[in-house]
Amino acid sequence: MKQVKILGTGCAKCNQLADAVKAVIAREGIEASVEKVEDIQRIMAYNVLATPALVVDEEVRCKGRVPERDELKEMLTR
Amino acid sequence: MKNAVEVCPTTALGMIEKGALLVDVREADEVAEASFDVPEVILIPYSEFEERFVEIPVDREVVVACNVGERSLMATYFLMNHGYEKVANMQYGIVRWAEKGFPMKGELKRKSGGCCCGSPSGSSNSSGSCC
């Protein structure tokens, strides 16, 4: 099962990414746990300044933007 | 990961008076509206911080500030991750600084936070409004 984390302090874009990730996971039947990380210290453990960021299995796959559905699917299934 | 050192504006002012370098990470339009009136300040917008943080001397005592202390806290951790040991975040940012009546240029109109994505608070972009 993939461990997915959405890093962001709770702005609209962070919520957009979380919703988009959950939608792709549901549509594609990906086995994954999704956690939103809003604590700044925990976010900065990944050394990410530009949020929202997507972390899959502890690897930062995207930061500072909300990718399109197909790109997200690729990031979540890689 | 170690906790960041956080100081209130009063302590920050004391540190600056004793030689600490102030790093303002607010965006250019925010700075144009109101800014810290201290002898030595480096302006590195949050949106450019990753590329420009090397302009900050490693051996100086540094205080990082923004509007309310959120972007500056992330910048503080970023500096810590890159080996800066004498760095502190100014809690509550320029908003509290202004409330305290500390030296400023201009008039502060934005009293809410800034954006984690690098845009000033309340601005919008192609992906929708932020923070």
Side-chain angles (χ1 to χ4, degrees), chain A residues 9-14 16 40-41 43-52 63 66, chain B residues 1-3 46 49-50 70 73-75 77-78 81-82 116-117 125 127 129-131:
Chain A
T9 53
C11 72
K13 270 170 88 175
C14 306
Q16 263 179 32
I40 288 179
Q41 192 171 7
I43 291 172
M44 291 314 296
Y46 295 92
N47 208 31
V48 165
L49 278 179
T51 57
K63 55 186 181 180
V66 181
Chain B
M1 188 176 192
K2 266 173 61 178
N3 285 332
Y46 188 81
F49 202 79
E50 210 164 331
E70 187 171 287
L73 179 57
M74 294 178 80
Y77 276 117
F78 187 83
N81 287 341
H82 287 86
C116 43
C117 324
N125 53 40
S127 303
S129 65
C130 201
C131 293

Side-chain angles (χ1 to χ4, degrees), chain A residues 5 7 16 19 66-67:
Chain A
K5 291 176 184 166
L7 312 183
Q16 263 179 32
D19 290 344
V66 181

Side-chain angles (χ1 to χ4, degrees), chain B residues 32 49 110-111:
Chain B
F49 202 79
R110 297 164 221 244
K111 300 276 170 86

Side-chain angles (χ1 to χ4, degrees), chain A residues 15-66:
Chain A
N15 293 330
Q16 263 179 32
L17 178 62
D19 290 344
V21 164
K22 285 175 189 168
V24 170
I25 285 173
R27 190 179 304 112
E28 303 297 327
I30 299 166
E31 240 186 277
S33 66
V34 180
E35 181 189 4
K36 272 184 80 181
V37 179
E38 296 188 353
D39 177 74
I40 288 179
Q41 192 171 7
R42 285 188 63 204
I43 291 172
M44 291 314 296
Y46 295 92
N47 208 31
V48 165
L49 278 179
T51 57
L54 174 66
V55 177
V56 180
D57 292 336
E58 295 306 303
E59 183 192 338
V60 178
R61 300 248 162 115
C62 159
K63 55 186 181 180
R65 64 191 179 93
V66 181

